[in-house]
Amino acid sequence: MDGQETIKRGAWGSKTAFILAATGSAIGLGNIWRFPTMVSQNGGAVFVLVYILAVALIGFTVMLAELTIGRHTQKNPVGAIGHIKPRSPWKFIGYLGVITGVCILSYYSVVAGWTIGYIVKTATGAFSGEVTSQLTEKIYTEFTSNPLQVIFLLFLFIGMTTYIVSKGVKKGIERWTKVLMPILFLLIIFLAVRALTLPGASTGIAYYLKPDFSKLSGTVILFALGQAFFSLSLGMGTMITYGSYISKSDNLVSSAGWVTFSDTLIALLAGLIIFPTLAFSGQPGDVGGFGLVFKIFPIIFSQIPGGYIFALLFFSLLCGAALTSTISLLEVPVAYLVDEREWSRKKAALIVGFLSFVIGVPAALSFGGMKIFTRIDFFGKFDFIFGNISLAVGALLICVFVGYVWGVKNAIKEIFSGNHKFKIKPLWVFSLKFLSPLAIIFILIFIKKLVSG
Ligand code: PHE
């Protein structure tokens, strides 16, 4: 396992190690911060329903497709596509992924930096005493509009990510995820149980779980699909890159299934904490906004004996979960530069990390830190373009590439190298060749209308 090659590219120790790392990439702010925000802005339960369908019918399909390309070629996205279809414009998928990775990393790290700020706030007693929604609102607004503070935290977070990625994939990620994910899972279950037993919780539960079909619209479908890709780390080659480190004897289908399932479970549980707590604090489900999690979680901690400790634990775990995701975001451009351009890992990580930081600054200043960025909502626009559209376009191209260019036969041969059962093969092929690409095209065509309407 050791030797120069491994140090340069890294490799997973085992199948479990791969699943842990891929789960670490998938589970992050996308589940706990972005998912409830999207639910709140897009009609509540009906969004949840469309989201689950999008994950099961399209997300899983793309997940398996990406892992298959990755393991077959053992390369980063650009190299992988070039390996299958040399000197073709399909390489664009890889480049799009590299750019998307840098851009998502930049604004994602802004929110990831906030988690550090909230660890400090909790530790220094900002949430002791009575915690009302007015108080959490005030703390959030003051905190996120302080320009130097948010830029410093952004810098710190990207710095940590860069350090770990420069040390190589295997050592960096496995270690983290192994400890982090099980504790996060237990804590979230515990908090969900508490939230469900708060007075008034039922209004929140209804908003979250009882679909109002009159709220179903193209916009809801667009955002649900985008959220599925975002949360599962799909559409930009993350899973191609991570799949490139999986061994030939591993079962790709069950790996893809496991990652998809656990990611979705965490997101759904996060909603079960947020919406009952919102109702408890007397607010409607659709208050929305990117600050939702930061305003709502302190309220639930104030309703638990020893809440101070739980709050510290929660924000630390959220920070850690965000870190295993930013690592995977940075890993895509770094793997490209190391494999294709023969840069050293350290140089690649440092340069890309710095670039993301610079791009992240306007995003960090979009919450009152600087008027112009706040007014144009730089953060929101960036998230929409890269966190939604760009991932959807990437996922579409990956489906078409695997379904028609590389060919389903070849992909299936690769899938069979590690397992001999693939019961849902016909479904996967149908989704890969028809359902997923058509659904994405349909949604992209209507995008202009949706967004302006
Ligand atoms: N899936 C991660 C999350 O939910 C974010 C991410 C998106 C990571 C795309 C890698 C690629 O937090």
Side-chain angles (χ1 to χ4, degrees):
M1 283 304 303
D2 281 313
Q4 264 322 99
E5 193 50 29
T6 312
I7 292 172
K8 212 171 130 210
R9 283 208 87 232
W12 309 121
S14 64
K15 180 181 168 196
T16 331
F18 160 75
I19 290 184
L20 277 169
T23 313
S25 165
I27 297 175
L29 295 172
N31 311 57
I32 295 162
W33 159 76
R34 201 175 186 271
F35 175 73
T37 304
M38 290 289 152
V39 174
S40 179
Q41 287 172 341
N42 292 289
V46 75
F47 178 90
V48 180
L49 190 68
V50 180
Y51 176 75
I52 295 175
L53 288 174
V55 166
L57 300 176
I58 301 175
F60 173 79
T61 306
V62 181
M63 173 77 75
L64 185 53
E66 284 203 28
L67 292 181
T68 309
I69 300 178
R71 188 176 68 180
H72 180 73
T73 58
Q74 316 260 308
K75 284 185 161 57
N76 67 88
V78 177
I81 306 281
H83 177 89
I84 293 175
K85 207 77 198 153
R87 286 178 300 281
S88 74
W90 287 100
K91 258 197 180 177
F92 172 76
I93 300 178
Y95 292 118
L96 180 69
V98 168
I99 295 169
T100 309
V102 179
C103 292
I104 296 185
L105 176 63
S106 68
Y107 74 84
Y108 190 96
S109 300
V110 170
V111 182
W114 294 352
T115 63
I116 303 181
Y118 267 68
I119 297 174
V120 177
K121 279 203 180 306
T122 307
T124 52
F127 302 109
S128 53
E130 199 199 342
V131 181
T132 58
S133 55
Q134 287 82 355
L135 177 77
T136 59
E137 176 79 40
K138 182 168 170 282
I139 291 179
Y140 172 79
T141 312
E142 279 173 7
F143 170 69
T144 52
S145 62
N146 179 330
L148 285 182
Q149 202 164 289
V150 286
I151 290 177
F152 170 73
L153 292 171
L154 168 68
F155 183 80
L156 189 64
F157 206 91
I158 295 199
M160 291 177 352
T161 309
T162 305
Y163 175 77
I164 297 173
V165 170
S166 72
K167 293 277 166 207
V169 170
K170 180 171 174 287
K171 267 183 283 167
I173 314 172
E174 266 184 64
R175 200 188 294 158
W176 263 104
T177 320
K178 232 177 246 173
V179 205
L180 214 87
M181 290 303 153
I183 313 180
L184 179 67
F185 183 68
L186 290 179
L187 179 64
I188 291 222
I189 299 246
F190 171 76
L191 292 177
V193 171
R194 179 65 190 107
L196 289 173
T197 50
L198 287 172
S202 57
T203 322
I205 301 171
Y207 178 80
Y208 183 54
L209 295 178
K210 229 168 116 206
D212 170 357
F213 286 100
S214 69
K215 296 213 173 116
L216 182 63
S217 68
T219 321
V220 168
I221 304 177
L222 168 69
F223 281 106
L225 198 58
Q227 175 62 21
F229 296 137
F230 187 94
S231 190
L232 295 168
S233 307
L234 296 174
M236 53 159 276
T238 309
M239 291 300 164
I240 296 183
T241 309
Y242 273 32
S244 76
Y245 307 111
I246 313 182
S247 106
K248 286 283 179 197
S249 56
D250 285 346
N251 184 330
L252 287 181
V253 182
S254 67
S255 301
W258 178 251
V259 176
T260 308
F261 173 76
S262 51
D263 183 72
T264 308
L265 186 64
I266 296 275
L268 294 177
L269 286 170
L272 273 188
I273 303 173
I274 292 279
F275 293 99
T277 312
L278 255 180
F280 164 74
S281 70
Q283 300 174 79
D286 57 3
V287 289
F290 286 120
L292 196 56
V293 165
F294 295 91
K295 295 180 206 165
I296 295 305
F297 270 86
I299 298 180
I300 184 146
F301 295 126
S302 73
Q303 298 301 313
I304 299 172
Y308 173 81
I309 301 291
F310 284 107
L312 273 183
L313 184 65
F314 172 76
F315 286 116
S316 308
L317 290 169
L318 190 57
C319 178
L323 190 58
T324 52
S325 299
T326 53
I327 290 169
S328 75
L329 284 161
L330 182 56
E331 181 60 27
V332 171
V334 167
Y336 159 67
L337 291 167
V338 171
D339 291 351
E340 306 297 306
R341 308 266 148 167
E342 306 199 337
W343 286 23
S344 75
R345 195 161 246 290
K346 198 165 157 200
K347 175 178 158 196
L350 271 176
I351 292 184
V352 180
F354 184 72
L355 186 67
S356 289
F357 166 69
V358 174
I359 304 175
V361 169
L365 297 175
S366 299
F367 298 87
M370 204 165 168
K371 269 207 198 98
I372 165 117
F373 296 125
T374 310
R375 203 185 58 227
I376 60 172
D377 185 23
F378 187 91
F379 184 100
K381 298 231 159 56
F382 228 60
D383 179 52
F384 181 64
I385 295 168
F386 293 101
N388 251 317
I389 306 306
S390 186
L391 295 180
V393 171
L396 166 66
L397 295 175
I398 287 166
C399 290
V400 175
F401 182 75
V402 174
Y404 299 94
V405 181
W406 184 29
V408 178
K409 265 208 192 93
N410 291 321
I412 288 179
K413 214 165 116 200
E414 177 62 42
I415 294 173
F416 272 128
S417 100
N419 51 291
H420 301 286
K421 270 192 287 174
F422 184 17
K423 281 197 211 126
I424 49 164
K425 188 171 92 184
L427 278 179
W428 183 67
V429 173
F430 173 73
S431 173
L432 182 77
K433 293 187 77 159
F434 307 107
L435 181 69
S436 303
L438 288 177
I440 304 172
I441 289 173
F442 180 78
I443 241 24
L444 288 177
I445 288 179
F446 285 98
I447 211 162
K448 247 191 120 180
K449 207 175 124 227
L450 300 177
V451 174
S452 56

